[in-house]
Amino acid sequence: MNILFIADPLATFKTYKDTTYAMMREAAKRGHKLHHTLAGELSVQNGKVVAQAAPFQFIGAKDDHEWFKPQGKVQAALTEFNAVIMRTDPPFDMQYLYSTQLLTLAEQQGAKVFNSGQAMRDFNEKLAILNFARFTAPTLVSTRAADVRAFLAEHGDIIVKPLDGMGGMGIFRLTERDPNIGSILETLMRLDTRTIMAQRYIPEIVHGDKRILVIDGEVVPFALARIPQQGETRGNLAAGGRGVAQELSERDREIAETLAPELKRRGILLAGLDVIGENLTEVNVTSPTGFQEITKQKGFDVAAKFIDAVERNAA
């Protein structure tokens, strides 16, 4: 197969942990031809969605900058590839939105895109949990700081976060005695002009923010618990969290198996569910991670399962 990855620049990959790198390594091992482009290199020309795509040879990781051998870019319609895999990291800003709209147009023209542009627009990674309220902690979504203050007064200990971030960026824990409540809300909500999410603080975060992967409607049997470092609220690996792979609990499996059919129906080949304690906190569909940590610690080849799914769906 010819596979196009829409991802951040290859030279920026941290190959020892990068999930997109693991996908590429597995695809190359199977003899698939790899191409790379940036989201900003998508365009519409003569009615067709095209990309400035660079074929590259996967040569393995000597270090973070010598694992691939690029060739010259060529302009190609997305329909010329057997599979297009969207792996550009958030934030999900207007430029990201435009990219998903071009991907939807490409799908209408016959391209096979994973995850689908429509699914990435429909599933804001924070707001998606509102569709599965029986699995969530008390949650507020608002543009008004006064609403957040009332929510804080009700629950006493809350988390506030923007709707478009990643890696724990912009996440704050607030208690009623915090002297910086006003400043934090002004910064985060931009004087009541930016919608945010607030959730009751879940103390089980000390045991990890669990990432549960769902691939083509099937649940990976291990989660990656991202455990916050001492003095930190966030478990995100990008915020210094420590990743520990572990078997799914009964509640983890209940949540994942309930969501899995709906995710597949919506055109989401790969999703990363975030679960703290017994509560679903996010549904990640843009560029879920955790492949390498689970594989190294538990021997379960997540990348192989994912490329299996790509091959099935591309066919």
Side-chain angles (χ1 to χ4, degrees), residues 62 81 146 200 207 210 213 289:
K62 297 177 182 177
F81 300 96
R200 186 191 67 199
H207 303 300
K210 293 172 284 187
L213 297 168
T289 60

Side-chain angles (χ1 to χ4, degrees), residues 1-6 37 42 51 77-87 103 106-107 111-116 269 306 310 314:
M1 294 197 310
N2 286 319
I3 302 177
L4 175 64
F5 285 88
I6 305 173
T37 193
L42 299 176
L78 267 58
T79 52
E80 295 179 37
F81 300 96
N82 301 98
V84 177
I85 300 176
M86 177 58 159
R87 290 289 301 174
L103 292 177
E107 291 174 272
K112 299 291 182 69
V113 180
F114 312 109
N115 290 323
S116 81
L269 191 71
F306 176 76
V310 171

Side-chain angles (χ1 to χ4, degrees), residues 235-307:
N236 309 74
L237 300 183
R242 176 171 57 93
V244 178
Q246 59 188 39
E247 293 185 4
L248 302 184
S249 69
E250 288 187 16
R251 177 65 167 182
D252 294 340
R253 188 167 291 281
E254 178 190 6
I255 293 171
E257 291 183 349
T258 300
L259 269 64
E262 178 65 9
L263 294 170
K264 183 171 182 176
R265 186 184 74 81
R266 295 286 194 100
I268 299 172
L269 191 71
L270 171 64
L273 312 181
D274 288 353
V275 174
I276 301 175
E278 297 193 344
N279 298 278
L280 177 68
T281 60
E282 292 187 15
V283 180
N284 296 272
V285 299
T286 50
S287 56
T289 60
F291 280 29
Q292 294 210 57
E293 293 87 350
I294 291 173
T295 299
K296 289 173 182 175
Q297 295 181 38
K298 292 298 183 181
F300 184 92
D301 196 334
V302 188
K305 184 174 182 65
F306 176 76
I307 296 299

